Amino acid sequence: MRNHNSRRSFISQAAIAATLSPLSIFGQGYERAIDRIPKVSSPSSLKITAVKCGYIRGSLFVKIYTNQDIWGCGEAVDAVAGTYYLVKILGARIEGQSPLNVHRLFEDIRKSGFFQGAQSGMYVAVLSAIETALWDLAGKALGLPVYQLLGGKFRDKVRVYCDTALYQYNLPTATDFAEAALDAKKMGFNAIKFDLDQANDPNKYDRYNWTANAAELQRMYDQLAAARQAVGPNIDICADMHGRYDAVTAHAIAKRLEPLNLMWLEEPVPAENIEVYKLIADSTTTPICVGENQYLAYGFRRMLEIGAVDIVMPDLQKCGGLGEGQRIANLANLYYIPFAPHMVASFLGAMASVHVCAAVPNFMILEWQRYFHSQPMFREIVSYDGEWVKKGYITVSEKPGIGVEINESGMKKYAVPGMPFFE
Ligand SMILES: [Mg+2]
């Protein structure tokens, strides 16, 4: 009783003192002393204050603000149109919380959205951008690059392949393929990707039927053969069919391309029926690569279990983010399957992916876009003080967080009209 009384007496005296002199609240001196220690932030009291976003072309950029004047940025692609209110709703769920518990916040959002579609699509794409921004923020708060938070790096630089993006041409010819291959080789890349699907191939009989006829198969072979001849046997070549064809075509083209020794053939059929991939992969020596249209590690479980693919290519800007990307890589590694992420984001997304690629043993190669070098927008929307790519490799950033910042003023002129811009 005596102790109780003295405690009450002490508390009331402290309260009186605090009322009389707000600057001398008990314990505040200790807190001030902690805050005087040189560090990047005060991680223990870091709180999320707002989540905002902006849209350009195919990308969603999420920015997470805190009470300590540091922020984190993340990017999502493809499944992002119409997601503004989803960003606001998911953002509201994490406001007031510490951004440092990245896996916990990811799991809170994923599990609470089970009946809202948190298994795939737009929901997981937005979650990917938020999750990535949390890693960027955690790295900045703790003064560490993201790869370090993921457990450290296996490599200092990450190999990339040059996606030639010839789909931007109208009906590219075999000569176009050869020239694009030589161009990429001259730029220092030792791996190149081409698209084989042509919706407007004049040889097609029916735009809804995706059985490639003899002339289409010959066109595909001639295009890739020209690229192979141009660059020789030691440059890796891969080919994407964007999930457009049927199983008959997939079997035929995979077999036909065997002499060209491809690094992989990508999504020859749509992504939903993974058992068909098993039949294709079993029928050819051309390696089969799938994954940019799968979501979460769950999306990769069955294909790995049944041996349906030779290489996995999750898109880390839509499959669930960086932690989920690492989980997918580790899952694939149990089956000795290489990890070759798809990447159609900005340089922010590219470097975010690089941190995961550095942090897993079975990393094979990451996608890079030829248009990064020709379209000024990509330089204007981000800021980074290092070289982007050198002789086919990206050096892993050592700066806190991802290491790349979005440039909102540069981005504004490319903002999707009619959409809120970081409001
Ligand atoms: Mg693809």
Side-chain angles (χ1 to χ4, degrees), residues 193 240 242 266 292 313 342:
K193 186 159 97 179
D240 191 355
H242 292 114
E266 178 171 326
E292 68 177 275
M313 50 129 188
H342 181 254

Side-chain angles (χ1 to χ4, degrees), residues 404-417:
V404 176
E405 286 293 335
I406 61 169
N407 176 4
E408 283 171 62
S409 58
M411 193 178 277
K412 193 155 179 50
K413 74 175 180 183
Y414 300 103
V416 173

Side-chain angles (χ1 to χ4, degrees), residues 265 267-284 286-291 294 299-312 335 337:
L265 180 65
E267 288 196 328
V269 294
E272 304 93 334
N273 188 341
I274 211 64
E275 271 73 10
V276 176
Y277 272 98
K278 164 78 172 155
L279 297 173
I280 298 164
D282 284 350
S283 73
T284 178
T286 298
I288 302 297
C289 181
V290 189
Q294 308 292 337
F300 292 81
R301 183 188 64 84
R302 176 79 179 146
M303 70 168 76
L304 290 164
E305 277 180 1
I306 66 172
V309 297
D310 299 294
I311 298 154
V312 291
Y335 299 87
I337 295 287

Side-chain angles (χ1 to χ4, degrees), residues 99 133 194 229 300 369:
F194 294 97
Q229 191 173 9
F300 292 81
Q369 299 297 334

Side-chain angles (χ1 to χ4, degrees), residues 30-43:
Y30 179 65
E31 286 174 10
R32 286 202 197 109
I34 289 176
D35 283 341
R36 278 198 297 273
I37 297 169
K39 58 189 176 303
V40 178
S41 73
S42 302

Side-chain angles (χ1 to χ4, degrees), residues 46-50 92 94-98:
L46 189 62
K47 295 277 183 289
I48 295 166
T49 54
I94 61 172
E95 278 175 25
Q97 301 199 55
S98 166

Side-chain angles (χ1 to χ4, degrees), residues 120-139:
S120 64
M122 290 153 71
Y123 197 105
V124 177
V126 171
L127 175 54
S128 304
I130 291 174
E131 192 263 14
T132 303
L134 291 172
W135 284 116
D136 187 37
L137 196 42

